[in-house]
């Protein structure tokens, strides 16, 4: 099918990045959020990020202006019913996502494809709460969306081939690379990444190393661009914990048990960069380890 108009639910970190790349690729974008302030902030951030690309010579000033002109914000979820593809990028909580799909379904066109940017939740289960499980997929972008080249495409048990091919064509038009994943907890990237981060937190919890020594060891010893604890702060410790809980509950294997220290940080509200404190304290000029 020909996808021309994309609806995005959620104007946060992931949603505004998805809107950015879709508009730049020539799609008309309808960006939805329950907060008008969040919509304004998202469009301002897209403007800033596009300008950064102009300054680096990645795109022209005319391309930036055209892309911005393709994005419209709305706080009315039902308006997304007129789009060809919906990408849900709301909070990583299943109850929230299900409520969004249930509110949206009565207003959709028959051909509209529904997708979720979930990083761990069952696509089959989400799809079953809609009227079109065959037209439902996981569409998992990496953060930051304009920079990262991978998109995980996850088929639910009912997803049909035309839906997969349509989503694959979108990924290719965005200039990104698709990795197809089966619908098992956390898919590919987070199935491998999150246990590594969780093990780094256990290494800290058990006193094997400090925050700085763990991150330095992984950056210099394995050539990772960012240490696992720094990366956890960037992702959000609440998101890391949520994914570990999905793995632990979904696979019933003790190797996925979330580290108690990760739980403690989340309970304290120290969620990483977004709250200015996590494994590092970001309130000063330079990040300072908190342990």
């Amino acid at each position: 099918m020909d996808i021309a108009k994309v609806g995005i639910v959620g104007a946060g970190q992931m949603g505004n990045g998805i809107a950015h790349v879709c508009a730049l690729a020539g799609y008309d974008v309808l960006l939805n959020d329950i907060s008008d302030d969040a919509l304004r902030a998202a469009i301002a951030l897209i403007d800033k990020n596009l300008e950064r690309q102009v300054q680096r010579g990645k795109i022209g000033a005319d391309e930036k202006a055209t892309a911005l002109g393709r994005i419209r914000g709305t706080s009315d979820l039902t308006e997304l019913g007129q789009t060809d593809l919906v990408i849900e990028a709301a909070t990583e909580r299943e109850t929230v996502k299900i409520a969004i799909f249930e509110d949206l379904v009565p207003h959709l066109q028959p051909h509209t494809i529904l997708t979720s940017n979930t990083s761990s939740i069952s696509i089959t289960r989400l799809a079953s709460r809609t009227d079109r499980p065959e037209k439902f997929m996981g569409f998992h972008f990496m953060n930051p969306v304009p920079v990262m080249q991978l998109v995980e495409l996850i088929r639910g048990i009912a997803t049909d081939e035309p839906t997969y091919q349509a989503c694959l064509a979108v990924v290719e038009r965005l200039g990104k690379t698709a990795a197809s994943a089966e619908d098992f907890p956390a898919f590919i990237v987070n199935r491998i990444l999150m246990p590594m981060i969780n093990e780094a937190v256990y290494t800290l919890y058990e006193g094997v190393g400090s925050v700085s020594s763990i991150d330095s060891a992984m950056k210099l010893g394995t050539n990772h661009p960012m240490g696992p604890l720094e990366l956890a702060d960037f992702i959000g410790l609440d998101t890391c914990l949520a994914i570990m809980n999905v793995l632990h509950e979904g696979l019933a294997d003790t190797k996925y048990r979330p580290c108690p220290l990760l739980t403690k940080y989340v309970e304290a509200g120290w969620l990483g960069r977004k709250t200015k404190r996590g494994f590092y304290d970001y309130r000063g000029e330079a990040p300072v380890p908190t342990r």
Side-chain angles (χ1 to χ4, degrees):
M1 64 169 287
D2 183 33
I3 292 172
K5 193 168 187 179
V6 177
I8 298 165
V9 184
Q13 192 173 37
M14 296 304 294
N16 75 64
I18 297 168
H20 174 140
V21 297
C22 286
L24 208 51
Y27 293 105
D28 291 326
V29 175
L30 192 54
L31 181 60
N32 164 263
D33 200 281
I34 55 174
S35 163
D36 287 326
D37 288 342
L39 285 169
R40 282 190 289 269
I43 291 170
L45 183 58
I46 293 167
D47 188 350
K48 179 181 173 183
N49 289 337
L50 284 168
E51 182 58 31
R52 184 177 293 136
Q53 288 180 296
V54 172
Q55 296 303 320
R56 291 176 178 172
K58 304 278 188 184
I59 61 172
D62 55 338
E63 288 177 272
K64 173 195 168 182
T66 303
L68 272 177
R70 292 192 183 109
I71 302 171
R72 184 168 72 84
T74 178
S75 57
D76 182 0
L77 182 67
T78 65
E79 284 196 50
L80 271 63
Q82 297 308 304
T83 62
D84 305 309
L85 169 68
V86 174
I87 304 172
E88 172 275 313
T91 305
E92 187 70 355
R93 290 213 310 272
E94 189 166 344
T95 52
V96 172
K97 294 179 185 297
I98 287 170
I100 287 167
F101 289 124
E102 288 180 343
D103 287 347
L104 188 55
V105 158
H107 307 281
L108 295 175
Q109 300 178 92
H111 72 269
T112 302
I113 293 173
L114 288 177
T115 68
S116 177
N117 184 57
T118 179
S119 52
S120 61
I121 297 167
S122 167
I123 298 303
T124 299
R125 200 161 60 237
L126 290 175
S128 72
R129 303 299 292 269
T130 76
D131 66 342
R132 59 195 68 205
E134 72 287 350
K135 292 185 180 297
F136 195 107
M137 276 202 73
F139 210 133
H140 183 215
F141 289 83
M142 305 296 124
N143 185 34
V145 179
V147 175
M148 301 295 279
Q149 290 302 302
L150 181 73
V151 179
E152 283 184 311
L153 289 181
I154 306 102
R155 302 186 208 219
I157 198 168
T159 307
D160 64 23
E161 186 63 18
T163 297
Y164 172 79
Q165 290 298 333
C167 290
L168 180 60
V170 172
V171 174
E172 290 171 349
R173 183 166 160 183
L174 296 179
K176 298 189 182 295
T177 300
S180 296
E182 293 302 315
D183 186 23
F184 290 100
F187 319 129
I188 296 172
V189 172
N190 283 317
R191 173 75 176 264
I192 296 166
L193 174 64
M194 285 303 160
M196 184 196 77
I197 287 175
N198 194 52
E199 195 61 31
V201 183
Y202 266 115
T203 306
L204 178 65
Y205 175 63
E206 294 168 4
V208 179
S210 64
V211 168
S212 58
S213 63
I214 292 166
D215 278 352
S216 293
M218 292 304 290
K219 283 191 286 188
L220 301 178
T222 63
N223 210 27
H224 287 197
M226 190 182 290
L229 300 176
E230 183 186 2
L231 180 57
D233 276 356
F234 180 75
I235 294 167
L237 304 192
D238 52 340
T239 300
C240 294
L241 179 59
I243 295 170
M244 286 308 302
N245 280 327
V246 166
L247 281 166
H248 191 220
E249 293 161 13
L251 298 170
D253 192 324
T254 55
K255 73 180 180 180
Y256 298 114
R257 182 171 63 97
C259 179
L261 184 61
L262 177 60
T263 303
K264 194 60 65 181
Y265 268 73
V266 174
E267 287 174 345
W270 290 21
L271 308 181
R273 285 182 176 271
K274 61 188 173 185
T275 58
K276 304 294 186 187
R277 279 193 289 188
F279 292 114
Y280 292 85
D281 189 325
Y282 300 93
R283 294 174 297 175
E285 289 185 13
V288 177
T290 55
R291 288 179 86 84

